[in-house]
Amino acid sequence: MKKKLNITVLVDEAEIPPADPDFLTTPNQTTTEFHVIQTLRELGHNVYVLGAVKDIEQMCAGLKKEKTDLVVNLTEHLEGERRFDKNIAALLEMSEIPFTGAGLMGLMLSRDKRLCKQLLSLHKIRVPAFVSLPPERIVRLPKNINFPLVVKPAFEDSSEGISNASIVENNAALTERVHFVHERWDQPAIAEQYIEGRELYVGILGNKKLLVLPFRECRFNFKGNNGPCLATYRVKWNEQYREKWNIEFGFAELPTDVVKKIERVCKKVYRILHLRDYGRIDIRLTSDNKIYVLEANPNPDLAYGEEVAEAAEKRGISYENLIKRIIKTALKRYA
């Protein structure tokens, strides 16, 4: 790997500060984009920031403007549409431009929660029983699916569309929540069996040789029956809400044999879904140590202090070395 690279950091257009489009100054509230861009500069690379837009000609012109050695792809949607993140990867692939993270295949298989669960089931990976509920159809459950269920949008991530009201206990509540998802997100809903257990987040680095990072855990410490039991949007992104309900993120302590079992399952999921360079698998571990895969995140948040960075730090990989490692791993795929 060349010591000094020309790197284009591709970001969601809305994340670019109008007053500081090159992320040269420290904002009041730092973002993933800022952390990654600043770290790349500290590593000595030439960094060019490009916003992803639906205007393909504009995107291509921006990509060709600099002689890019690598694109660091931080996009999560295209002008608000999360289903188009795979199209960005497709454009980079067709243009034969090296880039970090999952490609078209990985994003497509992971983004659609229904397709993801179907595929994992075929490979004997345990997932919650589920049903797809498209708009303008009668809400009806198969006989093998029982309440309580968790209802969420089929294509969102970062817990968007998930709240305490997402857990439904009967047909009336199911129908109401499904219609809410249809109207609010204009996409199919998925209703899946609620799995009682510990919620773990398993970060993975690499391609041919995979490194599983220490497991992060979301702990629901509230004593009682009315507190949150899902990693809802507010649980993930609202610190005051977590304090109110005594919810905390930390590292899971588990017996060695259970750790090895989780590592094997998550590595298998990573490969089945064509994830690359880095990723995160979200699971529930039941009281009898059964592993249920809830979701796979092909391009998880790389912000300093977030899930992947914290787990890497626990493993002895500094934030700077994490970014360096992802760059090196991605370039090795194209070598």
Side-chain angles (χ1 to χ4, degrees), residues 183-243:
E183 292 170 9
R184 172 64 179 81
W185 281 274
D186 191 26
Q187 61 184 266
I190 180 173
E192 65 183 32
Q193 207 100 49
Y194 171 70
I195 305 298
E196 185 74 44
R198 297 170 67 177
E199 179 136 341
L200 308 177
Y201 309 114
V202 184
I204 299 179
L205 303 177
N207 291 313
K208 288 184 179 179
K209 187 176 181 180
L210 301 181
L211 174 67
V212 180
L213 300 174
F215 311 156
R216 298 276 289 159
E217 180 175 10
C218 181
R219 301 192 186 104
F220 302 95
N221 299 315
F222 179 75
K223 305 300 181 185
N225 297 322
N226 298 320
C229 56
L230 288 178
T232 65
Y233 188 85
R234 293 176 77 184
V235 166
K236 281 193 176 181
W237 304 110
N238 190 319
E239 187 175 349
Q240 290 180 328
Y241 184 79
R242 290 197 298 272
E243 289 177 0

Side-chain angles (χ1 to χ4, degrees), residues 24-215:
L24 295 172
T25 59
T26 304
N28 293 330
Q29 186 171 0
T30 56
T31 62
T32 302
E33 292 77 13
F34 174 80
H35 291 147
V36 173
I37 290 166
Q38 288 299 102
T39 302
L40 289 170
R41 287 187 176 127
E42 288 166 6
L43 288 169
H45 301 305
N46 297 320
V47 179
Y48 170 64
V49 181
L50 178 64
V53 292
K54 287 183 180 178
D55 187 327
I56 301 301
E57 289 185 5
Q58 182 180 334
M59 278 268 287
C60 290
L63 290 167
K64 291 177 181 178
K65 184 177 178 182
E66 307 293 326
K67 291 184 178 179
T68 300
D69 295 305
L70 181 73
V71 168
V72 172
N73 183 18
L74 297 183
T75 59
E76 295 183 344
H77 56 76
L78 189 58
E79 296 185 6
E81 177 52 77
R82 289 196 181 273
R83 281 171 281 190
F84 287 168
D85 61 351
K86 66 182 183 299
N87 299 45
I88 297 171
L91 177 63
L92 293 169
E93 288 175 356
M94 288 189 298
S95 303
E96 298 184 332
I97 298 173
F99 64 100
T100 61
L104 166 64
M105 185 67 74
L107 290 168
M108 181 178 70
L109 296 178
S110 303
R111 171 65 66 198
D112 188 334
K113 293 178 174 64
R114 305 161 303 172
L115 179 60
C116 176
K117 286 179 169 59
Q118 288 169 343
L119 183 57
L120 294 180
S121 295
L122 289 174
H123 285 269
K124 311 301 182 185
I125 301 290
R126 190 180 284 113
V127 299
F130 75 97
V131 61
S132 175
L133 300 164
E136 300 179 2
R137 299 272 185 89
I138 296 173
V139 177
R140 201 173 277 156
L141 288 180
K143 291 182 179 178
N144 67 321
I145 297 183
N146 302 309
F147 293 103
L149 300 172
V150 180
V151 180
K152 49 192 175 183
F155 299 110
E156 300 301 315
D157 66 6
S158 300
S159 290
E160 286 187 34
I162 302 178
S163 69
N164 293 331
S166 297
I167 297 185
V168 297
E169 302 277 356
N170 53 57
N171 283 307
L174 170 65
T175 300
E176 181 181 351
R177 190 66 188 179
V178 168
H179 287 163
F180 170 75
V181 169
H182 291 165
E183 292 170 9
R184 172 64 179 81
W185 281 274
D186 191 26
Q187 61 184 266
I190 180 173
E192 65 183 32
Q193 207 100 49
Y194 171 70
I195 305 298
E196 185 74 44
R198 297 170 67 177
E199 179 136 341
L200 308 177
Y201 309 114
V202 184
I204 299 179
L205 303 177
N207 291 313
K208 288 184 179 179
K209 187 176 181 180
L210 301 181
L211 174 67
V212 180
L213 300 174
F215 311 156

